[in-house]
Amino acid sequence: KHVAVIGIDGMGKFNSQTETPNLDRIFEHGAVAWSCISQNPTISAQNWGAMLLGATPLVHKLTNSTVSNEHYTNDALPSVFKRIRESDPSCYLASVCNWNPINYGIVEENTGVEKLTADNDKILTPMIVDCVKKKPKFLFVQLDDVDGAGHSGGYGTEHHYEEIRRADGYVAEIHKAYEDAGIIDETLFIVISDHGGVRNGHGGYTDTEKYVYMALAGKDVNECFIEYAETRDIAAIVLYALGLDVPTYDENGFTSQIPEGIWD
């Protein structure tokens, strides 16, 4: 009945190199991919756009510049928010992002989505918890401080790991909010990153930039390692989990697929 996608910007799969007890606990019996593939180029707008629209960057054409300056208006390739809204006019939907261009340039206007932002993840997390109390049908979250740490101190450094550990705590707070709301057993809970990095940047296609962590926990989710997945597969996963039609594969449009192994 509910899906939560918690995005940790710039984490890649660097969480495998530091302590994340909450991610380990939440997804102990879930489906986990340690080599989910980021879209090329490994940049935020291209990948958050791919997740929410279910298409490659060549198709959705979003960049960090466009999402910062232009509202998204392509009715031929609606976001998962719009697809859910069209199927359920009265449900509560929320997008809570530290990097607000997602709310501005990917999530459509006038779809009844509560859009919230804050200057850092510490301030953002209580806002997310408040949204969970309203029992959202779909909640999208983007935490940004991990990526900021990568840019400022280097990806794969102790500074970067420290912020990943902090994000692990924020994920625990969000997960507990679902428990406190009494809906965790009816929720597909997902954590994913959009890209990793190398030295102080990203955008190329090296292994530390393109391989990211994706994990799912929820009713009927198999305990498994997912062999192949891409960031854009989030759209199909969300729609399928909520019982909505997944659009037919179209190389010039929606190409999101459900990775094998997640469900029987």
Side-chain angles (χ1 to χ4, degrees):
K1 294 181 179 179
H2 312 274
V3 176
V5 173
I6 315 302
I8 304 178
D9 206 305
M11 184 174 73
K13 63 171 186 174
F14 285 102
N15 53 311
S16 65
Q17 300 177 29
T18 190
E19 299 79 26
T20 54
N22 296 299
L23 289 176
D24 296 344
R25 170 181 56 83
I26 292 167
F27 299 108
E28 180 180 3
H29 300 294
V32 178
W34 286 103
S35 296
C36 179
I37 299 176
S38 179
Q39 304 301 290
N40 189 8
T42 52
I43 298 175
S44 291
Q46 280 86 337
N47 277 277
W48 299 126
M51 289 184 217
L52 291 172
L53 301 171
T56 66
L58 285 173
V59 171
H60 67 60
K61 304 185 187 305
L62 298 180
T63 66
N64 284 3
S65 177
T66 60
V67 299
S68 299
N69 296 286
E70 303 171 15
H71 290 305
Y72 184 72
T73 58
N74 185 357
D75 291 336
L77 188 67
S79 73
V80 290
F81 280 107
K82 190 169 184 178
R83 294 182 190 275
I84 296 167
R85 173 60 70 216
E86 289 174 349
S87 73
D88 189 346
S90 63
C91 69
Y92 175 61
L93 305 171
S95 178
V96 191
C97 303
N98 185 335
W99 191 58
N100 197 51
I102 294 171
N103 286 337
Y104 188 86
I106 302 177
V107 182
E108 295 95 339
E109 296 288 283
N110 304 315
T111 52
V113 179
E114 181 164 20
K115 302 179 184 182
L116 301 172
T117 190
D119 291 336
N120 60 63
D121 296 346
K122 183 177 180 180
I123 298 172
L124 197 73
T125 301
M127 299 165 66
I128 299 164
V129 169
D130 285 341
C131 288
V132 175
K133 293 175 182 177
K134 301 176 187 178
K135 302 182 179 181
K137 187 164 188 173
F138 178 52
L139 170 68
F140 178 79
V141 168
Q142 183 264 355
L143 304 175
D144 200 56
D145 290 351
V146 170
D147 192 47
H151 283 297
S152 63
Y155 294 85
T157 64
E158 179 54 32
H159 181 58
H160 190 223
Y161 295 151
E162 181 181 7
E163 205 58 58
I164 290 173
R165 293 192 292 270
R166 223 174 253 121
D168 181 66
Y170 300 142
V171 171
E173 290 185 52
I174 299 166
H175 191 267
K176 185 177 184 301
Y178 273 88
E179 292 177 334
D180 293 345
I183 58 173
I184 191 62
D185 292 337
E186 300 173 328
T187 298
L188 176 63
F189 196 84
I190 303 170
V191 171
I192 189 169
S193 185
D194 57 337
H195 58 72
V198 59
R199 294 183 290 277
N200 294 88
H202 56 85
Y205 220 56
T206 62
D207 285 357
T208 58
E209 292 171 284
K210 72 179 181 180
Y211 290 127
V212 305
Y213 175 80
M214 180 176 77
L216 305 90
K219 183 180 180 181
D220 297 329
V221 171
N222 291 324
E223 181 177 346
C224 68
F225 288 108
I226 301 168
E227 292 187 9
Y228 185 85
E230 299 192 24
T231 52
R232 72 176 186 267
D233 293 337
I234 286 294
I237 291 169
V238 171
L239 295 174
Y240 179 78
L242 292 174
L244 302 179
D245 291 336
V246 177
T248 303
Y249 186 96
D250 175 6
E251 287 196 2
N252 297 311
F254 190 95
T255 50
S256 180
Q257 300 287 284
I258 300 169
E260 290 185 7
I262 297 175
W263 289 289
D264 291 336

